[in-house]
Amino acid sequence: MLLPGHDADAVQAAARGLADGELLGLPTETVYGLAARADRDEAVAKIFAAKGRPSDHPLIVHVLDAAGAEPFADHLPAAARRLMEAFWPGPLTVIVPRARGVASSAAGGQATVALRAPAHPVARAVLAAALELGVLGVAAPSANRFGRVSPTRAAHVVEEFGPGLLVLDGGACEVGIESSIVDCSRERPALLRPGLIGRARIEAALGEPLVAPDAQAPKASGTLAAHYAPAARLRLLDADRLALLLATGAASAGLEGVAVYSRAQPPAGLAWKWQAQPGDPAAAAHELFAVLRALDAAGAREIWVEAPPRDPAWDGVRDRLSRAAAAFTE
Ligand code: AMP
Ligand code: MG
């Protein structure tokens, strides 16, 4: 059932459902989450079952603020505190040592826990109402089946899970890609997943450089080589290669069902479907998953995506596209 997220009664109903251990489609500023209370393992088990996600892949626990993070953390390392102060509420997740016996399913059995305070007003209203009912935090991975494109509109969540799931409609997600994840549980903070908040801003807030994730970092959904994939085969191509493929494909009439997502001007009458890619990384992130879903829905056989510029501002978008393309490497 789809309910308006800005309606106070809908928020109350959603919070009551969470308190009772039910699942909820929850809008956040990054993507829509499939939410359950993080402080009950039986509730979290429903997320893994609905998504078809391996239960050892840890989830992000959503809280209102740094004080709300404390019950889940063994302690908050200085790096985590700095990042919370700089970017919360917002699209940045910190990984910290987990409090013993708390949220072990949400953490996929790890000794650490991932925490984020979302900025979306509907998410915040739900977290506050649920907290009143004793819900300490809400685990909410993207509301899609394992490995598929993340939802950035309420209708996408209904597409994924059908009308049986209560979904709050909070509009189109402003950021559009998942949060940046920084592991603060080790000696030096490491960037596990790039997002809209880029490396430079994170390092400025930390006052130290981020290191590469070490080999002990758990292999988890958001960091798998192949993820975020549409049904159509996605190919990530440099501008020159894309132009060449279009020219030769046109010559051999091999472009049937090929959609192109590019910053270039469409060559006259060439591809079956041409989608203009924004030149700005925030705009590109905002629409990325909705575009992939729309091209799937239009029946694309292949999606040829012009590779984003090498600029670090594009790291988040480039990361999602590389993983989507990796699902189809021959
Ligand atoms: P999402 O799928 O957006 O909920 O993001 C969850 C991602 O956060 C996982 O796929 C991991 O990459 C990362 N993550 C969450 N918790 C942990 C943890 N305890 N240790 C390492 N990575 C984590
Ligand atoms: Mg996901």
Side-chain angles (χ1 to χ4, degrees):
M1 191 181 19
L2 193 56
L3 291 180
H6 295 282
D7 179 82
D9 291 338
V11 167
Q12 278 305 325
R16 273 197 306 276
L18 286 173
D20 290 343
E22 297 305 323
L23 294 177
L24 170 71
L26 178 73
T28 84
E29 75 276 29
T30 57
V31 302
Y32 275 75
L34 184 65
R37 65 185 298 173
D39 51 2
R40 290 242 185 105
D41 289 352
E42 321 84 77
V44 171
K46 295 181 185 172
I47 297 179
F48 289 107
K51 280 185 62 99
R53 173 156 159 157
S55 62
D56 60 349
H57 286 205
L59 312 176
I60 295 170
V61 176
H62 296 73
V63 294
L64 273 176
D65 48 28
E70 273 171 18
F72 291 96
D74 175 79
H75 63 280
L76 294 176
R81 286 195 183 278
R82 282 191 195 111
L83 295 178
M84 290 171 168
E85 236 163 70
F87 301 117
W88 278 18
L92 180 128
T93 297
V94 295
I95 292 174
V96 301
R98 179 164 61 89
R100 271 241 215 140
V102 180
S104 40
S105 287
Q110 302 288 326
T112 52
V113 62
L115 295 162
R116 179 169 98 83
H120 195 295
V122 176
R124 299 192 65 74
V126 170
L127 286 172
L131 186 59
E132 291 277 314
L133 301 173
V135 175
L136 294 181
V138 158
S142 53
N144 55 276
R145 291 176 196 272
F146 183 62
R148 315 304 306 183
V149 178
S150 306
T152 53
R153 313 231 163 118
H156 298 163
V157 184
V158 179
E159 266 166 45
E160 291 282 331
F161 295 108
L165 175 72
L166 174 59
V167 181
L168 291 183
D169 190 347
C173 300
E174 199 175 319
V175 174
I177 59 172
E178 299 81 355
S179 57
S180 316
I181 303 180
V182 182
D183 186 354
C184 301
S185 71
R186 291 156 206 269
E187 200 152 309
R188 305 280 306 280
L191 184 60
L192 296 194
R193 178 171 73 186
L196 193 67
I197 298 178
R199 169 180 290 272
R201 285 178 68 199
I202 296 171
E203 290 180 336
L206 285 170
E208 64 177 314
L210 287 159
V211 299
D214 67 24
Q216 295 161 43
K219 285 280 158 271
S221 312
T223 57
L224 291 179
H227 209 64
Y228 311 111
R233 174 178 185 231
L234 190 145
R235 300 178 74 182
L236 194 53
L237 302 158
D238 287 334
D240 291 351
R241 175 112 180 99
L242 177 62
L244 183 73
L245 281 179
L246 284 170
T248 52
S252 63
L255 294 174
E256 193 50 43
V258 172
V260 179
Y261 187 42
S262 167
R263 297 184 302 285
Q265 285 302 314
L270 267 190
W272 164 70
K273 201 167 177 56
W274 192 280
Q275 179 83 33
Q277 189 184 115
D280 167 68
H286 173 73
E287 71 168 38
L288 176 65
F289 290 138
V291 165
L292 297 183
R293 278 179 181 270
L295 294 177
D296 260 348
R301 183 169 57 80
E302 299 204 357
I303 306 172
W304 294 359
V305 180
E306 182 182 343
R310 294 195 196 287
D311 188 287
W314 287 82
D315 282 354
V317 169
R318 192 181 316 101
D319 171 79
R320 302 312 185 277
L321 284 170
S322 321
R323 294 180 205 280
F328 301 97
T329 41
E330 47 278 58

